[in-house]
């Protein structure tokens, strides 16, 4: 049996205010082509199909048409819900899908597989939706379920017990944060509390292959336990990380081989750093006009309207951050003492500017303007 492991489609997610829907549609079309070309028998989508519990109307056709296309390419499809999904909404849609597409959202079904068969016999696929301990603990009375780790451990115990009774090979599809990986800051919504909700790798002992979702980057925790990651980049922290899926082969004895299938990156990401004038004019940045750009400008003080100016050169500039190249050295005086030491209002203003602008006080032009404003105020007060 040949299995394609994908996850974290996040249909409907935006990228710094830009829609990713069209790019995702194009990438998922390539994934469908890969399923057909590689004669995949089963596609597993391990959670976070949608980006939110209440996706927009435009998101539903993307899911239904992609699942239908995967089935038309010759594969059975099994989808589980993730922590971003509404299990109720995703589960409702499952009743409207074809017989060769299965959506697993019901926690009470954990430990009951969807069974497929190949020339070597049955393959039991155990879909485990995202399990929020507070929501599912009533299903399993007498079991302490205070953390994700405890909840997943119990779910895998149910899987192992059922698989032992049935015999044959087994696959698990789950959505969680496993030990041994790091998330990308600002990307994976935390489903941890301290270290309690990190699921130990030993929890996944037993099945022939474990297809995980939640981490957006490709991860191999063992030969049998892997994350496929997301098909698109959703953060500049993911720049340079490959996008794709795992192609998993089972033989009569179990796991035979696993190889990576790359997906195209519609628009690559780059972080550019330097003074704003350099970013706007220097030739070394001239090749980045078609990339998503995170601009970090290093001028000592904030510059006016940097996003608009940068987008004249980089149309896909998505975020701008002011990161001064060097911070001022604290002379030990402190802002309050510098203000008390000021001899006039102009020096008070200069001390304030130095305080909020990384040590850079008023420029010559600013000092002249400050003097003019203060002089005008003095005249106005004298005439009052």
């Amino acid at each position: 049996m040949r299995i394609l492991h994908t996850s974290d489609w996040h249909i409907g997610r935006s990228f710094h205010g830009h829609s990713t829907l069209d790019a995702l549609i194009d990438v998922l079309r390539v994934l469908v082509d890969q399923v057909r070309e590689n004669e995949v028998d089963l596609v597993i989508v391990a959670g976070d199909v949608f980006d939110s519990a209440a996706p927009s109307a435009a998101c539903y056709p993307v899911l239904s048409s992609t699942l239908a296309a995967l089935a038309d390419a010759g594969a059975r499809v099994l989808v589980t819900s993730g922590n971003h999904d509404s299990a109720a909404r995703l589960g409702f849609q499952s009743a409207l899908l074809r017989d060769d597409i299965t959506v697993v959202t019901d926690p009470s079904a954990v430990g009951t597989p969807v069974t497929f068969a190949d020339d070597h016999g049955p393959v039991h696929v155990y879909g485990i939706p995202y399990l929020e301990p507070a929501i599912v603990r009533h299903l399993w009375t007498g079991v302490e379920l205070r953390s994700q780790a405890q909840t997943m451990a119990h779910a895998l115990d149910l899987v192992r017990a059922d698989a032992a009774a049935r015999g044959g090979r087994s696959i698990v599809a789950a959505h969680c944060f496993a030990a041994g990986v790091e998330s990308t800051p600002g990307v994976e919504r935390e489903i941890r509390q301290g270290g309690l909700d990190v699921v130990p790798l030993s929890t996944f002992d037993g099945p022939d292959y474990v297809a995980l979702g939640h981490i957006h980057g490709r991860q191999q925790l063992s030969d049998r336990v892997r994350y496929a990651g997301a098909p698109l980049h959703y953060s500049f922290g993911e720049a340079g990380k490959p996008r794709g899926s795992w192609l998993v082969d089972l033989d009569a004895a179990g796991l035979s081989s696993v190889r990576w299938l790359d997906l195209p990156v519609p628009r690559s990401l780059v972080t550019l750093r330097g003074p704003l004038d350099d970013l706007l004019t220097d030739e070394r940045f001239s090749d980045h006009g078609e990339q998503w750009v995170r601009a970090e400008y290093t001028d000592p003080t904030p510059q006016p309207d940097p996003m608009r100016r940068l987008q004249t050169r980089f149309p896909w500039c998505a975020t701008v951050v002011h990161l001064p190249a060097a911070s001022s050295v604290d002379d030990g005086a402190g802002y309050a003492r510098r203000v008390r030491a000021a001899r006039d209002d102009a020096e008070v203003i200069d001390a304030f500017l130095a305080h909020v602008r990384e040590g850079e006080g008023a420029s010559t032009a600013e000092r002249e303007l400050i003097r003019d404003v203060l002089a005008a105020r003095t005249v106005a007060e004298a005439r009052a």
Side-chain angles (χ1 to χ4, degrees):
M1 181 173 290
R2 174 162 286 179
I3 301 162
L4 185 132
H5 165 201
T6 178
S7 70
D8 294 275
W9 292 358
H10 286 280
I11 302 171
R13 187 167 190 145
S14 62
F15 181 78
H16 295 276
H18 300 266
S19 171
T20 63
L21 208 56
D22 288 341
L24 181 61
I25 289 170
D26 290 342
V27 170
L28 291 178
R29 283 176 180 151
V30 175
L31 186 141
V32 171
D33 291 339
Q34 291 176 339
V35 167
R36 181 180 297 105
E37 293 163 3
N38 290 280
E39 299 181 332
V40 171
D41 301 299
L42 172 65
V43 175
I44 291 175
V45 187
D48 279 356
V49 178
F50 292 121
D51 188 58
S52 74
S56 68
C59 297
Y60 288 98
V62 176
L63 175 61
S64 56
S65 62
T66 302
L67 295 181
L70 290 169
D72 290 341
R76 299 288 298 272
V77 183
L78 185 138
V79 181
T80 63
S81 52
N83 60 301
H84 280 248
D85 298 309
S86 163
R89 285 189 173 90
L90 197 58
F92 173 79
Q93 184 169 353
S94 67
L96 309 177
L97 297 172
R98 297 157 35 161
D99 291 340
D100 44 9
I101 301 171
T102 303
V103 179
V104 179
T105 62
D106 184 1
S108 65
V110 170
T112 301
V114 179
T115 299
F116 306 92
D118 61 12
D119 293 341
H120 304 295
V123 176
H124 307 297
V125 182
Y126 295 87
I128 302 177
Y130 170 64
L131 301 175
E132 176 62 48
I135 295 175
V136 303
R137 65 170 62 107
H138 73 280
L139 297 174
W140 300 304
T141 58
V143 181
E144 184 178 6
L145 301 178
R146 295 185 177 276
S147 70
Q148 181 102 75
Q150 291 173 326
T151 306
M152 285 298 296
H154 181 66
L156 268 294
D157 285 343
L158 295 175
V159 167
R160 281 185 286 267
D162 186 86
R166 292 177 187 273
R169 296 154 293 167
S170 61
I171 301 291
V172 164
H175 196 88
C176 65
F177 196 109
V181 298
E182 289 295 330
S183 62
T184 302
V187 180
E188 295 94 3
R189 185 177 300 163
E190 287 293 339
I191 54 175
R192 297 180 294 169
Q193 295 177 354
L196 294 178
D197 283 357
V198 176
V199 181
L201 184 59
S202 60
T203 301
F204 304 107
D205 288 349
D208 293 285
Y209 184 78
V210 179
L212 294 179
H214 181 58
I215 300 300
H216 283 200
R218 178 181 68 182
Q219 301 276 349
Q220 177 180 339
L221 305 185
S222 74
D223 287 343
R224 301 178 308 101
V225 184
R226 301 173 189 244
Y227 286 96
L232 289 182
H233 290 120
Y234 291 116
S235 164
F236 281 98
E238 300 175 340
K241 295 181 180 179
R243 305 288 90 172
S245 56
W246 293 110
L247 193 65
V248 181
D249 283 319
L250 300 182
D251 59 17
L255 184 64
S256 172
S257 66
V258 184
R259 65 186 176 94
W260 179 254
L261 293 181
D262 280 307
L263 284 170
V265 176
R267 192 178 304 283
S268 58
L269 290 76
V270 65
T271 296
L272 306 179
R273 182 177 173 88
L276 185 60
D277 283 345
D278 285 4
L279 295 175
L280 292 170
T281 60
D282 198 304
E283 283 301 310
R284 74 180 187 274
F285 302 122
S286 60
D287 294 333
H288 302 292
E290 293 304 314
Q291 294 176 290
W292 288 116
V293 170
R294 170 187 164 92
E296 299 176 350
Y297 72 95
T298 58
D299 302 62
T301 60
Q303 299 299 299
D305 207 5
M307 176 65 85
R308 181 191 60 79
R309 295 162 66 187
L310 285 162
Q311 285 181 338
T312 62
R313 187 177 196 191
F314 310 109
W316 301 101
C317 183
T319 183
V320 179
V321 181
H322 178 222
L323 293 175
S327 298
S328 60
V329 177
D330 189 354
D331 61 5
Y335 173 59
R337 291 182 58 188
R338 288 196 296 270
V339 169
R340 288 195 297 269
R343 292 168 295 181
D344 54 32
D345 287 347
E347 289 190 1
V348 170
I349 295 172
D350 185 67
F352 172 75
L353 292 175
H355 177 64
V356 299
R357 300 197 311 195
E358 297 291 337
E360 182 176 324
S363 66
T364 300
E366 288 171 338
R367 289 193 185 97
E368 292 176 358
L369 179 61
I370 291 167
R371 282 196 297 268
D372 290 344
V373 170
L374 292 174
R377 187 193 69 175
T378 301
V379 171
E381 289 175 346
R383 292 175 177 174

